[in-house]
């Protein structure tokens, strides 16, 4: 249900309401899933159909909350076996807390004039609590619940255009239409959320200006420029570091990450991202943004009471596998968060 990366939807042994990046009627498997859900009074909507444009608060908040309520009801209908047989695994992604924290975080800060009952972010948490309560009611000796978020949230004061910094250093040149003149551009900001910079690498881009043989040298030069930039809002450095992707990522898809990943010194001031997309998502209207620290919690037979402790996003996959009674592959990164008795024995153990 609404899991990022599931669109375009693929046939699965079960049901899927995907996470589409644009409005579409082809976001489900099987194709008649909306009809089956409608018979149960459930009519899920996609996040892309409820988009913040700076308009009135109430219609937007109501639309976002309704999207989560409908997808939760869809998940419960499947979990209860009202649509087909009961599934072995149900994955539900609720997004209201994220969506509303981006644009109404200021309501949660000290001194806010907005009463708690009217705070959009609090209403999103209350809805998530109600959904978790409904899921907890369905736990039995064979059913457990894992709840987590891969991100936290915190205040945002402003974005800083990294492209402006690159342009001031002569590393990016704008054409008459305000877009980069690629024939005279060395580096440019990656898409929003990636918090990165890409080199205009020959062979990767049609008008690339950086030879692959020069990549390491140019990357170091660009990183030095960015790391020396002073945030005018604070008078201190904008970045802690511009990190080459090779230090953060490994594997066959690592080259899809930005060439440099930017680590802000003050997370209230963040890289703007590619201006084409940041403009279309009204990014400058946001008052909150993601943080690295978040939470996880488990309930049911698969978990040990009071286990607690830190976890990482890569621990989720082995946790789900052990919840299903399956042994994670030995080379699968991460550690299961389930009760020790459910975890596979280490290699060589009897």
């Amino acid at each position: 249900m609404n899991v990022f990366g599931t669109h375009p939807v693929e046939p699965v042994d079960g049901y899927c309401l995907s996470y589409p990046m644009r409005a579409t009627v082809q976001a489900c498997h099987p194709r008649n899933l909306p009809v089956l859900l409608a018979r149960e009074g459930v009519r899920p909507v996609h996040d892309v159909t409820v988009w913040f444009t700076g308009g009135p608060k109430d219609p937007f908040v109501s639309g976002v909350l309704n999207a989560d309520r409908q997808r939760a009801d869809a998940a419960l209908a499947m979990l209860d076996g009202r649509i087909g047989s009961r599934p072995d695994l149900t994955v539900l992604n609720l997004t209201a807390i994220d969506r509303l924290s981006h644009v109404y975080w200021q309501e949660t800060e000290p001194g806010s004039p907005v009463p708690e009952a009217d705070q959009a972010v609090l209403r999103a948490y209350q809805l998530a609590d109600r959904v978790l309560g409904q899921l907890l009611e369905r736990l039995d000796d064979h059913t457990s619940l894992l709840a987590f978020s891969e991100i936290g949230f915190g205040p945002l004061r402003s974005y800083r255009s990294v492209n402006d910094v690159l342009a001031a250093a002569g590393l990016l040149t704008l054409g008459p239409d305000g877009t980069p003149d690629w024939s005279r551009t060395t580096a440019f900001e990656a898409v929003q959320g990636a918090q990165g910079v890409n080199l205009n690498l020959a062979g990767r881009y049609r008008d690339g200006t950086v030879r692959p043989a020069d990549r390491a040298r140019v990357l170091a030069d660009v990183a030095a420029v960015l790391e020396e930039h002073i945030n005018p809002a604070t008078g201190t450095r904008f970045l802690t570091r511009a990190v080459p992707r090779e230090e953060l990522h490994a594997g066959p898809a690592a080259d899809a990450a930005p060439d440099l990943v930017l680590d802000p010194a003050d997370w209230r001031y963040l890289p703007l991202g590619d201006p084409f997309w940041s403009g279309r998502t009204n990014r400058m209207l946001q008052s909150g943004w993601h943080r690295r620290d978040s939470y996880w919690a488990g309930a049911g037979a698969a978990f040990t009471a009071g286990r607690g402790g830190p976890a990482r996003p890569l621990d989720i996959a082995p946790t789900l596998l052990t919840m299903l009674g399956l042994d994670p592959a030995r080379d699968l990164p991460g550690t299961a968060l389930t009760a020790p008795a459910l975890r596979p024995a280490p290699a060589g153990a009897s």
Side-chain angles (χ1 to χ4, degrees):
M1 299 294 301
N2 199 45
V3 176
F4 185 79
T6 54
H7 192 81
V9 69
E10 299 277 349
V12 294
D13 183 13
Y15 298 99
C16 177
L17 269 171
S18 70
Y19 188 119
M21 301 303 290
R22 56 187 176 187
T24 177
V25 296
Q26 300 179 12
C28 302
H29 176 81
R31 293 285 293 274
N32 69 334
L33 182 55
V35 176
L36 300 177
L37 290 171
R39 292 172 181 168
E40 296 295 321
V42 182
R43 293 172 174 82
V45 295
H46 307 313
D47 284 353
V48 289
T49 64
V50 188
W51 203 255
F52 184 68
T53 60
K57 172 183 172 180
D58 288 346
F60 175 68
V61 172
S62 296
V64 170
L65 295 176
N66 177 63
D68 262 11
R69 179 68 269 169
Q70 293 289 339
R71 62 175 59 108
D73 287 346
L76 293 170
M78 297 176 188
L79 187 61
D80 292 341
R82 286 180 277 141
I83 298 177
S85 57
R86 292 192 62 184
D88 297 307
L89 172 68
T90 299
V91 182
L92 168 63
N93 177 32
L94 300 177
T95 59
I97 294 174
D98 174 274
R99 299 287 304 283
L100 298 180
S101 292
H102 275 301
V103 292
Y104 295 110
W105 184 263
Q106 73 278 4
E107 295 182 349
T108 71
E109 296 196 37
S112 168
V114 180
E116 276 195 359
D118 296 330
Q119 291 181 8
V121 176
L122 180 60
R123 291 176 62 188
Y125 273 97
Q126 290 170 335
L127 174 58
D129 281 347
R130 289 195 293 272
V131 173
L132 286 171
Q134 291 176 298
L135 293 170
L136 287 169
E137 291 172 355
R138 287 161 169 78
L139 299 191
D140 55 33
D141 293 342
H142 307 288
T143 308
S144 296
L145 173 66
L146 171 67
F148 70 94
S149 174
E150 83 283 14
I151 53 171
F153 249 91
L156 171 71
R157 295 296 177 258
S158 67
Y159 288 108
R160 179 70 171 147
S161 171
V162 175
N163 276 355
D164 287 350
V165 179
L166 296 170
L171 296 168
L172 182 149
T173 301
L174 295 179
D177 61 353
T179 62
D181 179 347
W182 297 112
S183 67
R184 295 188 293 162
T185 290
T186 299
F188 58 95
E189 195 166 2
V191 71
Q192 63 187 46
Q195 288 192 186
V197 165
N198 283 321
L199 298 186
N200 189 19
L201 200 64
R204 182 169 67 188
Y205 300 112
R206 183 184 61 192
D207 299 315
T209 61
V210 179
R211 297 185 307 166
D214 297 331
R215 180 180 181 275
R217 175 184 60 79
V218 176
L219 200 66
D221 291 343
V222 174
V225 166
L226 297 176
E227 289 172 355
E228 292 171 4
H229 176 65
I230 300 299
N231 180 358
T234 62
T236 58
R237 288 191 174 182
F238 180 53
L239 300 178
T240 299
R241 194 174 169 220
V243 187
R245 70 170 178 229
E246 291 81 3
E247 295 186 22
L248 298 174
H249 304 293
D255 60 358
D259 291 306
L260 287 172
V261 178
L262 310 181
D263 185 13
D266 185 333
W267 278 70
R268 297 174 301 169
Y269 303 91
L270 300 174
L272 175 63
D274 169 66
F276 178 87
W277 289 110
S278 60
R280 280 156 181 76
T281 57
N282 297 299
R283 194 158 162 82
M284 298 301 286
L285 299 178
Q286 295 177 350
S287 63
W289 188 252
H290 307 154
R291 293 296 190 270
R292 290 171 174 164
D293 293 333
S294 185
Y295 89 101
W296 75 272
F303 297 96
T304 301
R307 156 71 171 79
R312 303 160 295 171
L314 54 79
D315 296 331
I316 299 301
T319 301
L320 293 178
L321 289 169
T322 54
M323 289 172 68
L324 290 167
L326 303 172
D327 290 342
R330 297 294 181 180
D331 60 351
L332 182 68
T335 302
L337 305 172
T338 47
L342 292 179
R343 299 175 203 158
S350 59

